[in-house]
Amino acid sequence: MSETTQTAVLDRFEETEDGEEVAVLLYESDGEVVGEEVVPRSHLPNDGQHQDAVFTVNLEDGEPVEFTYEADETTERTESASDRFDRLSSRLSDETDSDESTD
């Protein structure tokens, strides 16, 4: 039996044809998406049932058997994305202001 761990991020929820709600997880390696897994929402810890939640996934023979919600990593990524957005917004605002002042 082969056991490994992977980092996964909750991308979205979908509903199957039979009405089951599933989570679409994106596996990452070195910051790149390397795979996708669809699992029943009920398999995820309750506190991690939201978009962009980060999990450590224990795999046995390539199949997910345990999901651990990484609250600190999720918060860190959310704050980092927010900071990037703020910097980009500020830069765009500065460029717009300088374009208007040259008119």
Side-chain angles (χ1 to χ4, degrees):
M1 182 180 306
S2 166
E3 293 184 20
T4 59
T5 59
Q6 287 254 227
T7 298
V9 178
L10 178 54
D11 184 54
R12 65 189 180 278
F13 292 105
E14 295 181 352
E15 191 171 309
T16 64
E17 290 179 11
D18 61 358
E20 180 183 23
E21 195 167 16
V22 295
V24 179
L25 300 172
L26 302 179
Y27 288 117
E28 295 182 343
S29 179
D30 295 324
E32 299 292 322
V33 175
V34 296
E36 182 177 299
E37 183 86 39
V38 177
V39 299
R41 182 179 189 152
S42 61
H43 288 187
L44 300 176
N46 287 336
D47 53 351
Q49 291 189 15
H50 59 87
Q51 191 171 10
D52 298 325
V54 179
F55 298 92
T56 297
V57 182
N58 292 331
L59 302 157
E60 287 183 8
D61 296 326
E63 295 296 317
V65 293
E66 183 180 23
F67 300 90
T68 304
Y69 175 56
E70 302 295 346
D72 291 342
E73 177 70 13
T74 300
T75 300
E76 184 179 306
R77 287 184 185 211
T78 300
E79 289 172 356
S80 177
S82 179
D83 290 347
R84 275 194 311 273
F85 179 78
D86 290 345
R87 284 193 308 273
L88 286 172
S89 294
S90 176
R91 211 166 63 205
L92 286 174
S93 177
D94 292 346
E95 288 174 10
T96 302
D97 290 345
S98 67
D99 287 346
E100 290 174 0
S101 65
T102 59
D103 289 342

